[in-house]
Amino acid sequence: MYNDMHRYDDILTRERPRGKRQPMPVSDRAAQFAPFAALTGYDEAVAETARLTDSKIELGEDRAADINDKLCMLRDRLYERPEAEVTYFVPDGRKSGGSYVTLTGNAKRIDEYARTVIFTDGAVIPIDDIFSVKLLGSDEQ
């Protein structure tokens, strides 16, 4: 039993053995234990799901007739490049729904075949997505 207790006495006073390589820098050691994203893209998917979109409002007959009247007035004044404020629905590219955007600019052309209103800045608005039209600088609003 005495031999068992003193079996390692010869190595107790020795220095700890060192390898031939340099020790790893502390910053690299810390990186080994850093958390990692086991589910890549999960945070983005949750954020996308939480992002709110609006539903497109179905226009009543009165609102549709009002928009049609304003577009006719706009078409009659296109030679003046009239300024108009148009609120329209923009569908979301990633999920159902979308948002309403208001654009103020000078109307350039109404393409009746493509059913779009084209502005001088290059913006193209589908007529079927228009929610309201306001002619600026005009007696008629």
Side-chain angles (χ1 to χ4, degrees):
M1 175 137 164
Y2 175 77
N3 286 343
D4 286 342
M5 288 181 59
H6 297 287
R7 186 168 39 182
Y8 299 108
D9 285 345
D10 62 326
I11 64 172
L12 286 176
T13 58
R14 285 189 186 173
E15 198 172 305
R16 181 172 84 78
R18 303 264 182 213
K20 294 179 181 167
R21 290 191 225 155
Q22 293 290 327
M24 182 184 288
V26 174
S27 61
D28 291 344
R29 283 184 52 79
Q32 291 180 351
F33 304 104
F36 67 99
L39 301 172
T40 54
Y42 179 74
D43 292 337
E44 292 82 11
V46 169
E48 177 63 24
T49 303
R51 188 172 56 86
L52 299 176
T53 57
D54 293 326
S55 298
K56 185 174 180 181
I57 299 170
E58 294 298 322
L59 302 179
E61 287 184 33
D62 292 340
R63 165 89 49 160
D66 182 52
I67 291 171
N68 188 45
D69 291 345
K70 299 281 174 68
L71 289 175
C72 287
M73 287 190 297
L74 189 66
R75 184 191 61 209
D76 292 343
R77 294 181 49 210
L78 283 176
Y79 66 92
E80 302 173 12
R81 300 283 192 250
E83 188 174 22
E85 181 180 280
V86 179
T87 301
Y88 61 102
F89 183 77
V90 178
D92 193 292
R94 290 183 258 170
K95 61 194 290 188
S96 64
S99 61
Y100 280 90
V101 177
T102 300
L103 173 93
T104 302
N106 297 89
K108 178 179 178 182
R109 189 170 80 120
I110 295 178
D111 186 340
E112 293 178 20
Y113 179 73
R115 297 192 48 77
T116 58
V117 179
I118 303 165
F119 286 79
T120 56
D121 65 356
V124 178
I125 299 174
I127 290 174
D128 296 330
D129 292 336
I130 293 177
F131 180 73
S132 69
V133 177
K134 187 186 294 186
L135 299 175
L136 304 176
S138 161
D139 296 339
E140 302 279 337
Q141 294 292 319

